[in-house]
Amino acid sequence: MPWQAVDDRAGRAIRPLRMLTAVAGYGDCGCSGDGGRRVMTGQEGFDRRIEPFRTELLAYCYRMLGSAHDAEDLVQDTYLRAWRAREQYDDTRSSLRTWLYRIATNACLTALEVHGRRPLPSGLVAASDPLGPLVQGEHVPWLQPLPDSLLDAGDPAGAVMDRSSLRLAFAAALQHLSARQRGALILRDVLSFSAAETAEILGTTVVSVNSSLQRARTRVKEVGVRQERVSEPPAAEQRAWVERYMRAFELADVEGLKRLLTEDVIMEMPPMLNWFAGRDNYGLFMEWVFGAAGKDWLLKEVAANGGQPGFAAYQRVGDGYSLHTLQIFTVTDEGISRNSVFQDPDIYATFGLAAKLDDQGLAIAEA
């Protein structure tokens, strides 16, 4: 079934498009022509034509919203809206891809009116004392990582999109833009739509698009993040850096961890507001972690945001290990420059992480 995807955040499944259309009250019918205009009315033909766009639309919605959960929901909403409006599509006026992006963009803009931006702590408050008390950010919708498994399901060869544009640092920079600036920058600079196509998608003029794009580029430069990969080593080398970090972590070797970090490394850990910069501050905090949480850990590799390496850290609790944090790394040629540490059950579920493991690293079923 082409539209089946599983979402076990609440033990539920994302419904296939066929089920959605049945719920919406639409049945199967044939494709027809109308004076040279191609009208999509058939279930099978509609499924087949829009299937290739699902993964790139998921990535687009994630860039716009900063939430894997919300992005999945918005893609589902996009396809339902597209099904309902299928007879209005005119392929003599725009491509199917542009039409779908306009629907997805409208859905994202509506969602952003409600949810607003999703920062990381370093984009919200000043740096903290690494030995100061942990302070939780109340009612802050934090930026979330995107599991690579969601991308790999529809794009196993990585051919559909530039995955470097999904990096957490760039996703965080986008959160400093207004919704329409965000859309203009992504559509023009990431997805390479023309100014005219972008204006059609955003429902505005080319002049407005160019103005929004200029302001967006300026703002992203001000926050110190560029879209293109900067001194980013090959994927295998990045993973090797993180594997060495994992070995030092399992040994609670703070000096070993510090040797793998850049001088200006950043650690942040939503939902806590605390974040700090610098190798020495990082080391002080890790000494506190191992003192407070123990030195017996089990780590599981993960990948997020188009190839960023990371791991899930399980802390020894009783006769097993309990999920403690999800850590996603930014790696440069000089070493690990950022560790984004997440502690959120919804994010754990998105990554399919078990809550508890036994001594062999196997999931323990919840009672």
Side-chain angles (χ1 to χ4, degrees):
M1 184 175 292
W3 295 101
Q4 182 68 52
V6 174
D7 175 4
D8 57 5
R9 277 180 294 270
R12 60 186 172 87
I14 294 176
R15 290 177 292 179
L17 183 61
R18 289 190 177 86
M19 189 180 298
L20 286 170
T21 55
V23 171
Y26 294 102
D28 291 336
C29 50
C31 290
S32 64
D34 180 10
R37 181 169 73 94
R38 186 171 183 178
V39 180
M40 289 192 300
T41 59
Q43 171 86 49
E44 296 297 334
F46 181 79
D47 285 359
R48 187 167 54 254
R49 292 191 66 192
I50 66 174
E51 165 73 16
F53 300 103
R54 183 179 181 87
T55 301
E56 62 172 295
L57 285 171
L58 175 67
Y60 173 65
C61 290
Y62 171 76
R63 295 185 190 100
M64 288 289 288
L65 302 171
S67 164
H69 185 184
D70 290 350
E72 287 184 291
D73 287 347
L74 263 291
V75 170
Q76 288 293 105
D77 186 46
T78 295
Y79 283 125
L80 182 54
R81 292 187 191 196
W83 172 261
R84 288 171 171 165
R86 68 197 183 284
E87 295 187 20
Q88 300 172 26
Y89 171 65
D90 181 354
D91 66 359
T92 66
R93 298 182 58 186
S94 67
S95 70
L96 180 58
R97 182 171 183 252
T98 300
W99 183 70
L100 288 170
Y101 268 92
R102 180 165 190 175
I103 296 172
T105 298
N106 286 335
C108 288
L109 293 176
T110 299
L112 287 169
E113 290 176 0
V114 177
H115 299 299
R117 74 186 190 101
R118 286 179 171 270
L120 286 173
S122 60
L124 188 65
V125 297
S128 312
D129 178 346
L131 297 181
L134 295 176
V135 179
Q136 185 161 339
E138 298 291 340
H139 312 298
V140 180
W142 296 108
L143 180 68
Q144 299 177 353
L146 177 69
D148 276 7
S149 58
L150 294 181
L151 303 174
D152 295 340
D155 181 29
V160 169
M161 71 193 77
D162 173 12
R163 296 194 177 197
S164 67
S165 66
L166 289 165
R167 299 294 189 256
L168 270 173
F170 184 55
L174 290 173
Q175 300 301 309
H176 291 271
L177 307 179
S178 72
R180 289 189 172 272
Q181 289 173 1
R182 202 178 301 178
L185 184 71
I186 297 168
L187 292 166
R188 292 286 284 120
D189 286 359
V190 175
L191 298 171
S192 300
F193 281 102
S194 69
E197 289 170 328
T198 300
E200 179 185 347
I201 290 169
L202 289 171
T204 188
T205 65
V206 170
V207 171
S208 178
V209 165
N210 289 337
S211 176
S212 292
L213 180 61
Q214 185 61 41
R215 290 196 299 271
R217 287 171 175 168
T218 299
R219 183 62 180 134
V220 168
K221 187 178 295 185
E222 287 173 353
V223 299
V225 179
R226 290 185 295 167
Q227 168 200 331
E228 64 267 26
R229 285 174 285 186
V230 180
S231 68
E232 185 177 278
E237 187 175 335
Q238 292 185 56
R239 174 50 68 183
W241 277 100
V242 173
E243 286 175 350
R244 296 205 299 275
Y245 184 100
M246 292 170 69
R247 288 194 291 272
F249 191 102
E250 289 172 327
L251 294 171
D253 178 4
V254 173
E255 290 303 314
L257 293 176
K258 289 170 62 177
R259 284 193 291 271
L260 299 168
L261 308 174
T262 62
E263 186 62 39
D264 58 353
V265 63
I266 288 175
M267 175 185 277
E268 50 195 337
M269 41 196 171
M272 302 304 169
L273 290 171
N274 307 64
W275 70 277
F276 26 82
R279 188 182 292 145
D280 290 339
N281 285 335
Y282 195 114
L284 286 173
F285 181 75
M286 291 308 302
E287 287 175 357
W288 176 83
V289 168
F290 292 131
K295 299 182 179 181
D296 188 355
W297 298 82
L298 195 155
L299 309 182
K300 291 284 189 180
E301 290 186 3
V302 299
N305 290 75
Q308 286 187 250
F311 60 78
Y314 288 81
Q315 175 191 10
R316 167 67 78 176
V317 177
D319 59 356
Y321 293 87
S322 293
L323 185 54
H324 185 265
T325 53
L326 175 70
Q327 306 188 27
I328 306 298
F329 296 88
T330 300
V331 183
T332 70
D333 288 329
E334 291 74 39
I336 293 170
S337 64
R338 183 182 295 260
N339 183 4
S340 300
V341 182
F342 299 92
Q343 203 167 42
D344 183 332
D346 286 341
I347 294 176
Y348 298 158
T350 302
F351 277 77
L353 297 172
K356 297 181 182 297
L357 301 177
D358 63 19
D359 286 345
Q360 285 71 49
L362 299 176
I364 299 174
E366 294 288 344

